[in-house]
Amino acid sequence: MSTPSVPSQVPHHVIPSYLNHDNLGPWGVYLEQIDRVTPHLGSLARWVETLKRPKRVLIVDVPIERDDGSIAHFEGYRVQHNTSRGPGKGGVRFHQDVTLSEVMALSGWMTVKNAAVNVPYGGAKGGIRVDPKTLSRGELQRMTRRYTSEIGIIIGPNKDIPAPDVGTDSQIMAWMMDTYSMNQGSTASGVVTGKPISLGGSLGRNEATGRGVFVVGCEAASKLGLEIKGARVIVQGFGNVGGIAARLFADAGALIVGVQDHKSTVVRSSGLDVAALQAHITATGSVAGFAGADEISDRSQFWGLDCDILVPAALEQQITAENAHRIRAKLILEGANGPTTPEADDILHDKGVLIVPDVIANAGGVTVSYFEWVQDFSSFFWSEDEINLRLTRLMREALAAVWQLSVEKKVSLRTAAFIVACTRVLEAREMRGLYP
Ligand code: NAD
């Protein structure tokens, strides 16, 4: 059988407008990353268009009755980007800036991430454009349940398994699991991960993403000859990912010298007291006003802070062509998804900054989500030590494989991770063939 050649360009009229490069935003960044890896995919490149089109996009209206009796409508999404290697898997984001472009990009990165660390999932993502801080607990629950019912037609333990992301947590997962189960008529704990332990959640899941950032951070630092003890670390975003990663780095003797969140930026050259900062955030919702640090008013100064390691752990497209020149870190660990634009990637590469890309650095969360899903299916639960050991081993192996390929092919860790992942996804696609 002869191998058909790669079409040089798919005719423009067959590309839905929302899939276009010109459609700026995170999806454009994702498409650019796929374009960059395509020349490395050999004969599998003929399938690459698969990665540039989500398999399924669902947009839902989420109406709720507010506490004051008025009716509010929110726009929700669930995108199943690819299911060649297994069910869709990816978080749900509640944030006022959620767009379809963002959810599509995040779903594409999930496909790449799950393949990069070789867990048997495709990629998916969901979200609602809402500031959850403006809702009462009752309103939040009603919105979560209605959204779950609306996307219930495409999710399921063997179809697509949501998890927490920005603005969602284990309580939201509990409501999602309960709503789906009520609609099905039986308890389906495997429909979401990141659940409370009492509902089939996994030990170690809450910390897993931050722990994964720390594990790959230690590995990458040792390759650079950088000691963690005494290393100066700055962190953008101090939530589930950034807060836990910062604590683990501080426990290992690093100095957390700067933290930025949605409200403010705090710095302390001798190192912040991470536990005290965490307590302040729990009490006030932000790093703003933390007594144990100086506050800087110009947010952009965060990027120029003197440090060895930078952990972006907030939102996408934070490191851009505008601020990449100012970054002084030797090592960047992408806790967030898509924090670096392709232009900034090039600038940092030229400056000799090592970037451990999101699809490896923050894969600890989905890895322990996978462990949770397996435990739910077998109704047999592992110890936290066992989970952390397996997580650490899997993250180290994933980084080592990507590192070796990056050396062999003389490409960045991001390109190497995309080569490993896209090859796995497209091999599965090719082996399965097209139906009908
Ligand atoms: P979170 O909601 O727990 O925390 C988000 C943090 O980012 C908060 O500290 C918030 O103040 C800060 N933030 C929000 N907007 C900001 C802005 N404009 N500038 C600076 N800081 C800002 O969210 P999380 O779960 O920690 O997720 C953070 C990132 O990590 C996201 O990109 C998410 O997709 C990614 N991620 C999360 C997980 C997970 O398991 N939670 C897994 C993989 C990747």
Side-chain angles (χ1 to χ4, degrees), residues 93 95 106 113 125 164-167 205 209 236-242 260-262 299 313-315 318 335-337 362 365:
R93 180 172 293 191
H95 192 274
L106 290 164
K113 184 187 309 180
K125 201 84 183 191
D165 189 70
V166 176
R205 171 62 185 89
T209 310
Q236 189 200 36
F238 212 75
N240 178 265
V241 180
Q260 178 171 81
D261 75 357
H262 65 290
R299 289 181 67 77
L315 298 172
Q318 297 297 303
N337 285 307
N362 71 30

Side-chain angles (χ1 to χ4, degrees), residues 84-216:
S84 297
R85 301 178 70 251
K89 182 95 191 81
V92 174
R93 180 172 293 191
F94 289 175
H95 192 274
Q96 59 276 14
D97 297 331
V98 164
T99 61
L100 180 57
S101 164
E102 179 182 60
V103 178
M104 289 195 331
L106 290 164
S107 71
W109 286 321
M110 286 311 298
T111 298
V112 176
K113 184 187 309 180
N114 292 335
V117 292
N118 213 5
V119 291
Y121 294 128
K125 201 84 183 191
I128 303 181
R129 190 178 317 123
V130 62
D131 180 355
K133 295 187 200 80
T134 62
L135 301 182
S136 69
R137 186 179 161 85
E139 291 169 339
L140 186 62
Q141 178 169 178
R142 291 198 287 284
M143 185 189 71
T144 301
R145 288 187 180 278
R146 180 61 186 252
Y147 168 71
T148 308
S149 278
E150 294 295 340
I151 66 165
I153 51 174
I154 62 168
I155 63 169
N158 291 309
K159 288 158 87 177
D160 179 4
I161 307 114
D165 189 70
V166 176
T168 55
D169 58 14
S170 59
Q171 174 62 78
I172 306 272
M173 294 306 113
W175 290 330
M176 289 189 76
M177 183 276 239
D178 184 68
T179 306
Y180 181 85
S181 299
M182 289 296 113
N183 288 342
Q184 294 292 303
S186 63
T187 295
S189 45
V191 67
V192 291
T193 57
K195 297 180 294 295
I197 302 295
S198 56
L199 293 178
S202 178
L203 294 167
R205 171 62 185 89
N206 193 41
E207 295 205 337
T209 310
R211 184 174 293 280
V213 170
F214 173 69
V215 168
V216 297

Side-chain angles (χ1 to χ4, degrees), residues 121 369-380 382:
Y121 294 128
S369 274
Y370 166 55
F371 297 162
E372 178 175 336
W373 184 71
V374 168
Q375 292 171 82
D376 286 340
F377 271 122
S378 58
S379 298
F380 178 74
W382 313 344

